[in-house]
Amino acid sequence: MLLQPTTPVSPASVLASVDASYERCRQITAKYSKTFYMGTMLMSEVKRRAIWAIYVWCRRTDELVDGPSAEFTTEATLDDWEAQLESVFAGRPRDDYDVAMVDALEHFALDIQPFRDMIAGQRMDLQCSRYETFEDLKLYCYRVAGTVGLMSTVVMGVDPEYNTAPWASALPCPTEEAIALGIANQLTNILRDVGEDARRGRIYLPLEDLELFKYSEEDLINGVIDERWQALMRFQIQRALKFYRQAEGGISVLSPDARWPVWSALMLYRKILDVIAENQYDVFNRRAFVPTVRKLLCLPPALLRARVL
Ligand SMILES: CC(C)=CCC/C(C)=C/CC/C(C)=C/CC/C(C)=C/[C@@H]1[C@@H](COP(=O)(O)OP(=O)(O)O)[C@]1(C)CC/C=C(\C)CC/C=C(\C)CCC=C(C)C
Ligand SMILES: Nc1ncnc2c1ncn2[C@@H]1O[C@H](COP(=O)(O)OP(=O)(O)OP(=O)(O)O)[C@@H](O)[C@H]1O
Ligand SMILES: [Mn+2]
């Protein structure tokens, strides 16, 4: 599937219809992330279509630096992508995938800033392949994942019941919790992909943490698994779980119809951490993933959390 941004279309070219564009976005979400796709299938039609459009925009942005043609990506490529973003927000789609995004913007008052911030996160991937401290890594995680939380929360909406202050002009938005879930997911993704990223010369784990556990960059590049590595991974997992716990507090503020999908997406992605531990933290030779049956078994407890707790 061609996800790369295209040159501005000529006026004569005919773009996909809105429904055809959303169908493409649905197919791509289902192909690249079974976890999030499962979450969107629990949403209303208008919300799930908007999330598919946002997913594809995010996937295209990520693939500029992480995808098959990443070697050709430069700062200018990201400048062009940012210009295409401005065009989408001005209601001028440039290709078939943009059409769904333009339609989503007509249904939901999305702010352009989180989209710009995600592009800034991809610029970090162009410029640096090491992170000295967790604070450095946290900025990266905000930009590539916390932003997704902000985008998604606008689509899912906030429960009007929560407007406890009659004089309050706007509903309380669980911004910090939404960002926390994005960061938790990104930290999980980083732990799952340590081997894959190392083979591309990238180490996202903060170097201050490697030093704390006396585990060197060379050990990581060589995939050394010993008690130092296992202790380092347990430390990383505990930190990710802290962000998941922070996110949980915000789900009850969301619209009632969004709580089951978000609890599901949270539990499904967090389950990857269990699989990493079950694999004895061998993220160098094994890609931790949650089999479909185990994913489905998360749905009833997610519904219980959404409805009762
Ligand atoms: C159910 C739901 C609302 C899902 C949101 C789906 C969505 C729009 C996801 C976009 C993901 C994406 C492609 C981002 C681009 C950068 C990137 C790759 C980020 C990492 C994602 C990994 O995706 P995937 O597993 O497909 O990648 P692989 O190729 O398999 O490695 C990230 C880990 C970021 C994911 C971050 C989120 C989904 C944000 C979640 C936060 C919310 C839904 C906010 C909920 C609100 C409150 C109040 C808690
Ligand atoms: N980027 C990838 N590289 C290698 N294998 C992958 C990749 N993505 C998915 N797979 C494989 O697809 C199957 C499903 O894994 P998984 O549930 O992680 O898929 P997914 O669609 O990437 O979901 P998510 O990204 O939400 O975790 C597994 O066999 C997994 O190894
Ligand atoms: Mn995936």
Side-chain angles (χ1 to χ4, degrees), residues 32-33 36 39-40 43 51 54-55 58-59 62 118 122 144-145 148-149 152-153 156 174 177-178 181-182 185-186 189 192-193 247 250-251 254 261-262 265 269 287:
Y32 284 91
S33 193
F36 300 137
T40 62
M43 291 179 180
I51 293 292
I54 293 169
Y55 181 88
C58 292
R59 171 57 60 189
D62 188 59
M118 180 176 285
Q122 303 302 337
V144 299
V148 181
S152 305
T153 300
M156 290 178 294
E177 294 84 349
L181 183 49
N185 284 347
Q186 186 59 30
N189 192 274
R192 180 187 73 184
D193 296 349
I251 302 178
L254 296 175
V262 174
Y269 224 82
R287 186 183 190 276

Side-chain angles (χ1 to χ4, degrees), residues 20-212:
S21 182
Y22 275 122
E23 174 53 17
R24 286 183 175 217
C25 293
R26 184 194 67 77
Q27 291 171 5
I28 287 168
T29 307
K31 170 182 165 69
Y32 284 91
S33 193
K34 296 170 186 64
T35 298
F36 300 137
Y37 183 68
M38 192 177 285
T40 62
M41 293 316 283
L42 305 174
M43 291 179 180
S44 64
E45 181 69 9
V46 67
K47 290 185 179 181
R48 81 160 72 117
R49 288 185 2 148
I51 293 292
W52 292 339
I54 293 169
Y55 181 88
V56 166
W57 187 88
C58 292
R59 171 57 60 189
R60 295 177 79 184
T61 305
D62 188 59
E63 289 221 332
L64 287 174
V65 181
D66 249 358
S69 56
E71 62 186 293
F72 306 112
T73 296
T74 63
E75 291 288 353
T77 314
L78 294 174
D79 295 343
D80 292 345
W81 183 235
E82 195 151 4
Q84 188 160 340
L85 172 70
E86 300 287 345
S87 178
V88 165
F89 269 77
R92 295 191 304 275
R94 287 192 184 173
D95 61 31
D96 292 346
Y97 300 111
D98 288 350
V99 171
M101 197 62 225
V102 168
D103 185 75
L105 291 171
E106 288 164 13
H107 291 88
F108 300 98
L110 287 156
D111 182 344
I112 193 170
Q113 194 54 46
F115 294 81
R116 290 192 184 121
D117 289 347
M118 180 176 285
I119 295 175
Q122 303 302 337
R123 293 185 195 277
M124 289 176 78
D125 263 339
L126 273 191
Q127 294 154 6
C128 71
S129 61
R130 297 291 186 277
Y131 290 83
E132 285 298 330
T133 69
F134 179 67
E135 280 315 302
D136 299 335
L137 179 63
K138 194 176 169 189
L139 173 62
Y140 172 76
C141 291
Y142 161 73
R143 286 176 167 173
V144 299
T147 51
V148 181
L150 296 176
M151 299 169 190
S152 305
T153 300
V154 173
V155 170
M156 290 178 294
V158 172
D159 185 349
E161 289 295 305
Y162 265 85
N163 187 9
T164 50
W167 58 84
S169 56
L171 287 172
C173 181
T175 303
E176 289 313 308
E177 294 84 349
I179 292 170
L181 183 49
I183 292 174
N185 284 347
Q186 186 59 30
L187 292 176
T188 303
N189 192 274
I190 285 169
L191 296 179
R192 180 187 73 184
D193 296 349
V194 165
E196 182 183 312
D197 291 328
R199 285 186 283 278
R200 287 189 303 198
R202 277 202 205 140
I203 298 178
Y204 287 104
L205 297 187
L207 299 183
E208 66 180 358
D209 294 351
L210 269 67
E211 197 174 323
L212 186 64

